[in-house]
Amino acid sequence: MAIQVVINGLLGASLIFLVASGFALILRTARFLHFSHGAVFALGPYITAAIAVGTGAHLAAAAACAVVACALVGCGMELGIYGPLRRRRAAPLVMILVSFGLYIMLENLIGLVFGVNVRTLGSSDVKPGIDVIGARITKVQLLSLGAALLYGVGLAVWLAATRAGKAVRAVGNRASLAETCGIRSGRVILRVFALGSAMAGLGGVISALDVGMTPGMGLRVLMMALVATVVGGASRLTGVALGALLVGMADHLGAWQLGSQWRDVFVFCILLGVLLLRPRQALTESSTAVIP
Amino acid sequence: MEYILHILILIGIYTILTVSLNLITGYTGLLSVTHAAFYGVGAYVAALMALRLQSPFLVNVACAAVLCGVAGLVVGVPSLRIRGDSFVIATFAFQVITFSVLNNWSALTAGPMGLPGIPRPVVFGLRISSPLGFLVLVGLFSTGVVLVTRRIVLSPFGRVLKAVREDEVFAQAAGKNIASHKVLVFVISAGIAAVAGALYAYYISFIDPTSFTVLESILIISIVIIGGAGSLWGPVVGAVVLVVLPEVLRCVGLPSSVAANVRQILYGGALVAFMMWRPRGLLGEYSFQRDGVQG
C-alpha cells in the first residue's frame, strides 16, 4: 500500500512539475504570479477534444495541435495584457488581479463553450495498470512520469547550455543587466510563456487522459504548482523539481494518512508553515526589477 | 417585484462584504483573498447557532462577528511577518483551508450537504419572513456598516491605514504602531464580513460551502476594485453595478444555463479591463501604484 501511495505521489509530482516549471520561469523572468496558467492547463485537453471530435484526427495529433494552441494562448496573454502592463510598471497587485481576472474569464469561457460537466478524453475502457514492485501504474501515468522526466532534463540542459536558455537565466536574474548585454528581455519572456504554456497544456491533456476534464481542473493543479514554487524556490529548476516532488508526495501521503478530504488542508498548511518560517522578500521583487 | 427586492437584498449583502474588504485592500493596501472565508465562517456560525441552540438572531450575528474577528486575528498576525505577494498567497492558503474545513468537517458543518432550514430571524419580537422585511433588515445593517466604516476611515486610525498603504516604512518611522493597525483592520473587517454571512444564511435559509470558495473571494475583490478601492462609496457603487449587470443580461434573454458562466466572464473581463485602463476603479483614489517602500 505504501509503495502505491509513493508511486501515486511521484505521478502527482510529475504533473505538478510540468505546470510549476513554467509558472516558476514566468515568475522569475516576468516577475509576477501568472495565475491564469491554470486556465491554460484546462485549455489543453478541451482543445484536443474539439480538434479530435471536429476533424476526426488521431488523439496524439490533436493533442500536439492543442499544445501549440496553448503556447499561442500564453503568448497572446503576454503580448496583449501582461507585457503592456509590465512596461507601464504596473504594481505587483495589479498583475495578480489581472491574472485572476484572466483565469476566471478563461475557465468560464471553456465552461460556456464545452459545458461544465466532466468529460473524458480518449477511450474510456478501464484497464488494470501494469504491475510494478507491488503497485500498479497505468499507461497514462507512465506517460506523465516520462514526460516530466524528459522535460525536466531537457529544460535543465536548455537552461544551462544553450544561448536561449542562458538568456532566460540572465533575464531571470537581472533583467536590466541582461538588456545591456543585448538580450531582448521581451522576446525571452515571450519564449518562456510559449514554452511554459505548452507544457501546461500538455499536462492538462495527460491529466484528462487519466481522470477526465472539467473547466475548473486547472485551479487545484495551479495551487499545487504555487505551493511547489514557494516551497522549492523559483530561482533554480532543481528547487522547482524538489518542490513539485514534495507537494506531490505530501498530497498523496496526506490523503493516505489523514483521509483524502484533508489533502488540501495538509498541503496548504505546509505552505503556510514555509511562508511563516522562511519569510522572504516578495516573490516577485528583486533589487533591480526594471524590465523594459 | 419580488425579484427586484431580491436583487436589492443581494446588493445590500454584497455592500457589507465589499465595504469591509475595502478596509483591508483599499485603505491598508493589503490584497486579501480570504474574504469569502470570513463570509462563510460568519454564515456557518450564525446558522449553526440558530439550528442547534435556537438562540436569537441578534445574538447569533454578534457571536458570528466575534468569532470571525478571531479568524481575522489569525490571518492578520501573519501579515506582520509575510509581506507583499507572499502575503497574498498566504491569504489564499487561509481561504482554501477554511473552505476545506467547512466542506469536510461534516460532524459540525454537515459538509457538502449544507445546512437547510435556517429559521426566520426574530428581531425585537418581530418575525421577518417577507422579502420586504428582509430588505429593511439588510438595508439597516448595510447602512450601519457604511456609517461605521466611514467613522473608521475618517478617524486617525483610518489615516494610519492609508499611511501604511502609501509608505509603510515612513509611517513606522513617524512612530505609528502599524502592527496593531494591520491586525486590527483584519479583525474589524472579518467581523463585518461575518454580519453579511449571517444575513445571507438567514435570508436564503440554506447554506453550503460552495458559496464561500476562492472564486467568491476573487469576485468580492473584483467588486471592490471596479467600484474603486480606497474610496467610501466605491464599494457600494461596485456592488450595485456588478450585482445588477448580470441580471440585466438575464432579462435581455440570456439562457440561464449559460448565465452563471457569462456572469463570471463579465466579472473577470471587467477586472482585467479596469486593471489595464483604470486601476483606481470607478470612484477610487487608490490605483495600487506605490512610490514608497513595499510593505
Side-chain angles (χ1 to χ4, degrees):
Chain A
M1 183 63 198
I3 301 180
Q4 182 70 56
V5 173
V6 166
I7 299 229
N8 289 344
L10 276 173
L11 298 169
S14 58
L15 217 57
I16 295 173
F17 177 72
L18 286 176
V19 176
S21 52
F23 186 79
L25 278 177
I26 292 174
L27 181 60
R28 281 300 294 172
T29 54
R31 302 204 187 285
F32 76 102
L33 295 164
H34 176 41
F35 205 79
S36 21
H37 204 47
V40 177
F41 179 83
L43 214 55
Y46 276 97
I47 297 181
T48 308
I51 296 177
V53 168
T55 67
H58 189 264
L59 206 61
C65 293
V67 165
V68 170
C70 285
L72 288 172
V73 167
C75 289
M77 288 198 270
E78 159 64 12
L79 285 171
I81 313 244
Y82 294 129
L85 276 174
R86 203 173 52 245
R87 280 182 273 282
R88 262 185 253 166
R89 311 240 189 292
L93 287 190
V94 171
M95 300 296 271
I96 293 186
L97 288 167
V98 165
S99 68
F100 279 163
L102 277 174
Y103 174 81
I104 293 180
M105 282 179 74
L106 279 173
E107 181 192 310
N108 283 281
L109 215 66
I110 295 175
L112 198 65
V113 172
F114 296 99
V116 300
N117 297 318
V118 178
R119 291 171 60 137
T120 52
L121 196 63
S123 74
S124 47
D125 311 345
V126 179
K127 291 181 275 236
I130 309 162
D131 213 330
V132 173
I133 43 170
R136 292 197 167 272
I137 310 185
T138 64
K139 279 202 188 143
V140 173
Q141 291 170 329
L142 271 176
L143 177 67
S144 171
L145 199 58
L149 278 172
L150 262 170
Y151 177 58
V153 169
L155 189 64
V157 167
W158 186 68
L159 285 174
T162 67
R163 190 130 179 245
K166 287 189 206 173
V168 169
R169 280 162 53 207
V171 172
N173 196 309
R174 279 285 151 100
S176 49
L177 198 57
E179 284 277 328
T180 65
C181 297
I183 297 176
R184 312 258 292 274
S185 57
R187 283 254 184 98
V188 169
I189 292 175
L190 201 62
R191 245 179 247 146
V192 167
F193 261 95
L195 186 63
S197 306
M199 295 318 287
L202 180 67
V205 170
I206 295 176
S207 176
L209 284 171
D210 196 18
V211 295
M213 51 189 176
T214 81
M217 64 193 282
L219 191 61
R220 189 167 197 274
V221 176
L222 183 79
M223 299 201 284
M224 299 290 121
L226 182 64
V227 179
T229 309
V230 171
V231 166
S235 43
R236 309 223 332 236
L237 194 63
T238 43
V240 176
L242 280 174
L245 194 66
L246 186 83
V247 173
M249 285 301 185
D251 190 20
H252 284 87
L253 287 171
W256 179 44
Q257 288 296 316
L258 305 167
S260 63
Q261 70 266 41
W262 299 117
R263 296 164 87 162
D264 287 353
V265 174
F266 184 54
V267 171
F268 277 93
C269 280
I270 294 178
L271 173 66
L272 279 175
V274 169
L275 283 176
L276 281 168
L277 293 171
R278 288 188 55 193
R280 54 192 76 185
Q281 210 31 284
L283 283 175
T284 54
E285 281 183 348
S286 80
S287 42
T288 52
V290 175
I291 299 183
Chain B
M1 187 59 198
E2 216 180 89
Y3 178 62
I4 296 182
L5 288 176
H6 171 71
I7 300 297
L8 288 173
I9 293 172
L10 278 183
I11 291 177
I13 293 179
Y14 271 97
T15 300
I16 299 177
L17 284 170
T18 54
V19 162
S20 53
L21 179 62
N22 192 26
L23 278 174
I24 301 179
T25 298
Y27 283 102
T28 321
L30 297 167
L31 183 61
S32 159
V33 192
T34 328
H35 227 58
F38 296 144
Y39 181 34
V41 168
Y44 267 87
V45 168
L48 284 170
M49 287 185 71
L51 288 170
R52 310 252 189 276
L53 305 175
Q54 282 91 42
S55 40
F57 170 70
L58 288 172
V59 168
N60 295 338
V61 173
C63 280
V66 167
L67 275 166
C68 236
V70 174
L73 193 71
V74 172
V75 179
V77 166
S79 79
L80 304 175
R81 194 165 157 79
I82 313 174
R83 307 298 189 80
D85 286 355
S86 303
F87 179 63
V88 181
I89 297 175
T91 61
F92 196 89
F94 279 119
Q95 164 67 51
V96 173
I97 290 174
T98 308
F99 171 80
S100 214
V101 167
L102 287 177
N103 202 32
N104 292 305
W105 193 0
S106 305
L108 182 69
T109 66
M113 305 289 284
L115 298 172
I118 302 169
R120 292 289 169 214
V122 178
V123 183
F124 303 130
L126 268 170
R127 193 165 174 275
I128 300 178
S129 50
S130 67
L132 190 62
F134 259 105
L135 181 61
V136 171
L137 186 68
V138 170
L140 281 170
F141 269 102
S142 36
T143 314
V145 164
V146 171
L147 287 173
V148 165
T149 314
R150 187 171 175 276
R151 282 249 104 250
I152 294 176
V153 159
L154 294 177
S155 73
F157 180 80
R159 285 199 289 276
V160 175
L161 291 182
K162 283 199 258 196
V164 169
R165 177 186 81 197
E166 297 298 327
D167 194 336
E168 189 174 325
V169 176
F170 188 73
Q172 243 180 332
K176 303 297 170 191
N177 184 351
I178 57 167
S180 69
H181 280 80
K182 276 183 166 181
V183 174
L184 256 175
V185 79
F186 264 98
V187 172
I188 296 173
S189 180
I192 298 177
V195 172
L199 286 171
Y200 177 81
Y202 273 98
Y203 174 55
I204 308 283
S205 79
F206 166 75
I207 53 169
D208 73 336
T210 62
S211 307
F212 311 114
T213 60
V214 169
L215 291 179
E216 180 72 19
S217 266
I218 297 178
L219 172 66
I220 302 172
I221 294 171
S222 307
I223 302 181
V224 172
I225 304 292
I226 291 169
S231 89
L232 264 176
W233 294 105
V236 181
V237 168
V240 172
V241 168
L242 283 181
V243 169
V244 167
L245 210 61
E247 302 297 331
V248 165
L249 282 177
R250 199 136 54 109
C251 293
V252 163
L254 206 64
S256 55
S257 56
V258 299
N261 287 324
V262 171
R263 182 173 165 257
Q264 300 246 358
I265 293 176
L266 221 93
Y267 289 146
L271 185 58
V272 174
F274 270 85
M275 284 293 105
M276 292 279 297
W277 292 300
R278 199 181 156 87
R280 71 177 58 166
L282 292 168
L283 294 182
E285 52 164 73
Y286 177 50
S287 57
F288 296 97
Q289 294 303 119
R290 297 171 94 141
D291 303 313
V293 177
Q294 287 264 5

